[in-house]
Amino acid sequence: MSGPNAAAFTRALVRRPGSTFASGLTSAAGPPPDLIAAGEQHLAYCAALRETGLIVSQLAPELQFPDGTFVEDTAIVTARGAILTRPGAPSRTGEVESVAVALRAIFPQLPAIQAPGTLDGGDVCEADGRFLIGLSTRTNESGAAQLADFLTSLGYEACVVDIRTTAALLHLKTGLAYIGDDTWVMTRIARQVVPLDGFAARRVIDVPEEEAYAANCVRVNDSVLVPARCPRVIDALRTTGHRILALDMSEFKKMDGGLSCLSLRF
Ligand code: CIR
């Protein structure tokens, strides 16, 4: 959700990584995530959300869904309503059920993306009432169209972009973030494949290749949460005047997870 300043959030929903976390989907070669470190990083992530003023609600880990900690993929939550997704990876579709239970307490009207549509929340980026929806290996035309219809019915604008031309982006928000005040954070590849036509883009913070992971940062109220050890992006973000909270995300990165996907914020 966001208002004119992209950030009037009061709550977040998260799910700590469970003991099966390391058997989730990943394209990364290298050592598996360390479960203790992942748990500690998740705790720090939740503490950062609280520092921004949010009440953080926790879902219990479900061992049959190792990727369940990436809750952002399971719902699109806006200031005017929410919709459950239908994640594009078959191993993840069941994650939605427990998220639905939690969200229904807040959003009694809770529609869902229907088959054959698939949609991951990581493919959805809001910029002050306008939504970019990425067509990806996880989000198909039907899912994107269903979400666009839903958002339009709420009075938002929605625009679909095709990111399937690049293997570098698992999700739309793998390569970009909107942090309010007409300011975008984007990798070079995202700039190539995502035209910002129709979106105000007063400033674009270029993310260098070696810090590409930091393109997935999140504005929450007066703060921007960003992965640690990305000094150039962090320096650029500091010039925006927001408080910068740098978080160690190393164990989630090993599972292709970005910073934003660890929470739903609303
Ligand atoms: C997956 O491949 O589905 C998970 N291992 C990572 C999902 C990350 N989600 C996101 O960036 N929105």
Side-chain angles (χ1 to χ4, degrees), residues 1 10-14 55-59 75-84 98-111 264-266:
M1 177 196 89
T10 57
R11 304 182 62 149
L13 186 63
V14 302
I55 296 165
V56 178
S57 303
Q58 304 265 355
L59 294 167
I76 309 302
V77 185
T78 80
R80 301 176 192 163
I83 184 168
L84 300 169
S98 53
V99 173
V101 172
L103 287 182
R104 241 181 231 117
I106 304 158
F107 300 94
Q109 301 288 325
L110 192 61
L264 285 164
R265 304 154 299 275
F266 45 95

Side-chain angles (χ1 to χ4, degrees), residues 153-168:
S153 76
L154 296 178
Y156 292 119
E157 290 178 41
C159 166
V160 177
V161 291
D162 194 342
I163 62 165
R164 292 171 297 191
T165 47
T166 172

Side-chain angles (χ1 to χ4, degrees), residues 64-90:
Q64 70 275 36
F65 300 122
D67 282 311
T69 191
F70 301 117
V71 288
E72 184 186 54
D73 290 324
T74 60
I76 309 302
V77 185
T78 80
R80 301 176 192 163
I83 184 168
L84 300 169
T85 68
R86 188 165 172 269

Side-chain angles (χ1 to χ4, degrees), residues 24-26 67 70 72-73 89 92 120-123 138 170-171 174 216 255-258 260-261:
L25 301 169
T26 185
D67 282 311
F70 301 117
E72 184 186 54
D73 290 324
R92 300 198 57 193
D120 278 16
D123 282 318
R138 301 292 178 87
L170 171 62
H171 290 113
T174 306
N216 183 270
M255 301 308 291
D256 290 346
S260 71
C261 47

Side-chain angles (χ1 to χ4, degrees), residues 51 125 158 160 168 222 249:
E51 240 183 273
C125 179
V160 177
D222 63 353
M249 294 288 297

Side-chain angles (χ1 to χ4, degrees), residues 193-226:
V193 298
V194 183
L196 292 178
D197 306 342
F199 288 84
R202 188 177 53 82
R203 183 172 179 202
V204 177
I205 293 175
D206 284 312
V207 175
E209 186 74 35
E210 63 277 16
E211 296 185 15
Y213 184 68
N216 183 270
C217 54
V218 182
R219 167 90 182 272
V220 186
N221 300 336
D222 63 353
S223 302
V224 177
L225 278 57
V226 61

